[in-house]
Amino acid sequence: MNGAMRMLAAIFVVLLVWTSGLLAFAARVDRMTPAPDPPVSDGIVALTGSSGERIAAGLALLQAGKAKRMLISGVSRHVTRGELQTITGASKPVYDCCVDLGFEAANTLGNAKETADWARAKGFRTLILVTADYHMPRARLELRAAMPEAEITTYPVSTSEVSAGGWWRTTLGAERMILEYSKYLVVLSRETLLGLGPKPATNAAAAHSLPANGTAP
């Protein structure tokens, strides 16, 4: 009986910690919007979702001169470039000259890889990341892992998908927030564990290991 009671107590503590973390996560998300005006950067990346607010926000920043180019990451292969321009209502001159579409990403990890590949190919080092407010913590973690050398400014967007201030009031809102928090914990745990592992040798360390003539022993 004592063992069973200890097990129940441990489960209760874990649930209490998890629930407290969920509430803190949701409160953090709620405070993210409205996002402050971002600095001018090299590029903007907007992650697709079930609503168009993310892309619209990214296009508004592009048209305001906040970056040279914009990537829309995670576009369905069934959507053509012209269809997306019509759907978003983007200015055709700006859309034609400065918007790139990414069709490879199927999830947030894929978004991060697609963004990193695009930014490196363009020589971009400063990025504005645009996605839904509840999705931003995880999206930022994934992008920082994929492109640690980049300076990332977040531009979270309040969407019709989830009301961060009252997520518990609807089944959909509760499901989305709980699922996003759980996914965020998985990515955070992964990056924490990777950070505890052996670090690759830095260029400076490698240079110290070379003899004076700069050649390997």
Side-chain angles (χ1 to χ4, degrees), residues 45-71:
V45 55
L47 309 186
T48 58
S50 58
S51 64
E53 290 102 330
R54 312 176 189 196
I55 297 175
L59 287 169
L61 291 174
L62 181 66
Q63 291 174 164
K66 291 296 182 180
K68 305 169 187 175
R69 298 193 69 81
M70 172 177 164
L71 171 68

Side-chain angles (χ1 to χ4, degrees), residues 64-145:
K66 291 296 182 180
K68 305 169 187 175
R69 298 193 69 81
M70 172 177 164
L71 171 68
I72 302 176
S73 175
V75 179
S76 169
R77 293 184 178 274
H78 301 292
V79 178
T80 67
R81 184 176 179 85
E83 287 172 341
L84 189 59
Q85 190 265 328
T86 301
I87 291 169
T88 60
S91 166
K92 195 172 190 314
V94 174
Y95 186 81
D96 288 346
C97 86
C98 306
V99 175
D100 299 313
L101 306 184
F103 295 94
E104 299 299 324
N107 51 37
T108 307
L109 181 62
N111 289 140
K113 183 181 184 305
E114 188 169 65
T115 299
D117 290 345
W118 171 79
R120 287 174 179 143
K122 299 292 184 186
F124 293 169
R125 299 295 297 270
T126 57
L127 299 173
I128 300 172
L129 174 61
V130 182
T131 190
D133 49 5
Y134 67 90
H135 184 230
M136 183 59 78
R138 181 163 62 98
R140 183 175 184 272
L141 271 180
E142 292 285 24
L143 184 53
R144 284 183 63 85

Side-chain angles (χ1 to χ4, degrees), residues 153-164:
T153 299
T154 58
Y155 194 82
V157 179
S158 179
T159 71
S160 56
E161 299 169 88
V162 177
S163 171

